[in-house]
Amino acid sequence: MLNMMWTLYEAFFQVGLFAFGGGLAALPLIREQVVVIHGWLDMATFTDLVTIAEMTPGPIALNASTFVGTRVGGLPGAVIATLGCITPSLIIVLILARIYQQWKDKPAFQGVLSGLRPAAVALIASAGLSIAILAFFGPGNAASLQNLDPVAAGCFVVALFVLRKWKTSPILVMISTGVVWAGINYLIK
Amino acid sequence: MKEHKPSLMMLFLSVLKISAFTFGGGYVIVPLMRKRFAEELHWVTDEDMLNMIAIAQSAPGPIAVNSSIMLGYRLFSVKGALVSALGTSLPPLIVLTVVSMFYEAFKSNQVVAALMEGMRAGVTAVIADVVWTMAGNIFKKKKPMPIALMIAAFLAVWWLKVNIVLVLLACGLIGFLAGVLRQERKAQ
């Protein structure tokens, strides 16, 4: 049991250490560890895991860690896998946070940050566009007018308007959109 | 919005709430952290928050966890980093433990599926809103380098599918060189 927990910790430590670019970049690494190396899940369950990790709130990599951890070792497994996944972050990012605190006002470091800031916005925009295509055209469909989901597009426009105009809580907007979209689709079918 | 002084409890509860209710992973969570801590609470400046997000994205691991460690450290040193990392990690731990126990039922439940599918439009609106604000701030400064870098980085990631580590390295390097050049010009 203890051995198993150590293996689980080590597997997710590697995922946390090598996943650059967040949860979606972590998924291939998780597949490698969980399906290929250790055989904890078969490929079908892994596909379900991806769906569920994306469907549930929270960071995708942590959702995936908890899901695998639970299946391998119950609640302790979930805790161990999550810890494994965030240990590299804790070490590396704490060092970076110290460096940031000390060097923040140094011109050379300011230069690096002035290059990284626009890139950070670009990455968020790119991730947003991927979700937009999924929301408007459905999974696996080409982005064409024929595939456009008018209800989703309408919900998007209203939600964006509400967010810009009244600065409504994003959480409230996201959940309301889900309810409205599901409700309209239920009524028209 | 009432102003709150920075406190560990408020930090913990804020990241906990964002992590517990935000669908779509790190790229949605992180802009919401900016909204919460820079726009609503004013605990950090907008530029400070964007710096921390940029560093968090350049490090390995979940972006949401990395950002919350950066922010927690900035506010309350190591203690803050640990509290904030815990707040971000607890909700997925609880939600997914429950979901993975009932995952057959969860996966095939049509109401759940419809809600999740519909929420994507809302998630898109939330990201569009924050990108609008964040990109707007960069455009407003009217400096050509950040604007060009933002557009180039977007095209590289979205269109050319360049590895994001390379994009971040290139942008950091260009920013560094531009900074050095500016210093030299000033010195002359």
Side-chain angles (χ1 to χ4, degrees), chain B residues 107-163:
Chain B
K107 201 180 53 167
S108 52
N109 188 310
Q110 290 190 340
V111 177
V112 174
L115 281 177
M116 300 294 163
E117 209 179 325
M119 232 181 283
R120 281 187 201 135
V123 171
T124 307
V126 168
I127 301 204
D129 171 41
V130 292
V131 169
W132 186 331
T133 309
M134 290 167 109
N137 287 344
I138 287 182
F139 278 115
K140 251 186 255 160
K141 285 189 183 150
K142 293 201 171 118
K143 286 187 196 152
M145 200 232 2
I147 295 175
L149 274 185
M150 183 167 68
I151 295 169
F154 178 79
L155 291 176
V157 172
W158 173 254
W159 194 39
L160 302 173
K161 313 274 176 231
V162 180
N163 187 313

Side-chain angles (χ1 to χ4, degrees), chain A residues 51-58 63 131 134-136 139 149 152 174-183 185, chain B residues 20-24 95-96 99 106-124:
Chain A
T51 315
I52 289 172
E54 287 180 1
M55 273 168 82
T56 42
N63 292 346
I131 299 178
L134 194 63
F136 295 160
D149 173 353
M174 287 187 279
I175 293 173
S176 318
T177 313
V179 173
V180 170
W181 186 91
N185 271 285
Chain B
F21 292 104
T22 306
F23 293 81
V95 173
L96 262 290
V99 167
F106 179 81
K107 201 180 53 167
S108 52
N109 188 310
Q110 290 190 340
V111 177
V112 174
L115 281 177
M116 300 294 163
E117 209 179 325
M119 232 181 283
R120 281 187 201 135
V123 171
T124 307

Side-chain angles (χ1 to χ4, degrees), chain A residues 37-74:
Chain A
I37 298 180
H38 297 291
W40 287 321
L41 302 182
D42 56 27
M43 205 41 215
T45 319
F46 179 78
T47 313
D48 289 344
L49 155 99
V50 175
T51 315
I52 289 172
E54 287 180 1
M55 273 168 82
T56 42
I60 292 170
L62 290 190
N63 292 346
S65 308
T66 309
F67 184 88
V68 177
T70 311
R71 295 193 78 81
V72 175

Side-chain angles (χ1 to χ4, degrees), chain B residues 20-100:
Chain B
F21 292 104
T22 306
F23 293 81
Y27 283 109
V28 193
I29 295 175
V30 163
L32 291 190
M33 288 175 61
R34 189 201 64 89
K35 216 177 162 79
R36 176 75 179 141
F37 293 101
E39 244 172 56
E40 291 176 13
L41 293 172
H42 298 291
W43 287 2
V44 288
T45 64
D46 209 31
E47 181 168 304
D48 208 2
M49 192 70 214
L50 198 47
N51 281 341
M52 292 192 279
I53 293 174
I55 294 172
Q57 287 189 339
S58 312
I63 291 169
V65 176
N66 293 353
S67 303
S68 56
I69 294 172
M70 286 295 297
L71 178 77
Y73 186 86
R74 180 98 179 82
L75 294 169
F76 302 102
S77 189
V78 176
K79 194 169 54 182
L82 293 176
V83 163
S84 168
L86 183 71
T88 308
S89 313
L90 267 186
L93 199 55
I94 297 165
V95 173
L96 262 290
T97 304
V98 175
V99 167
S100 61

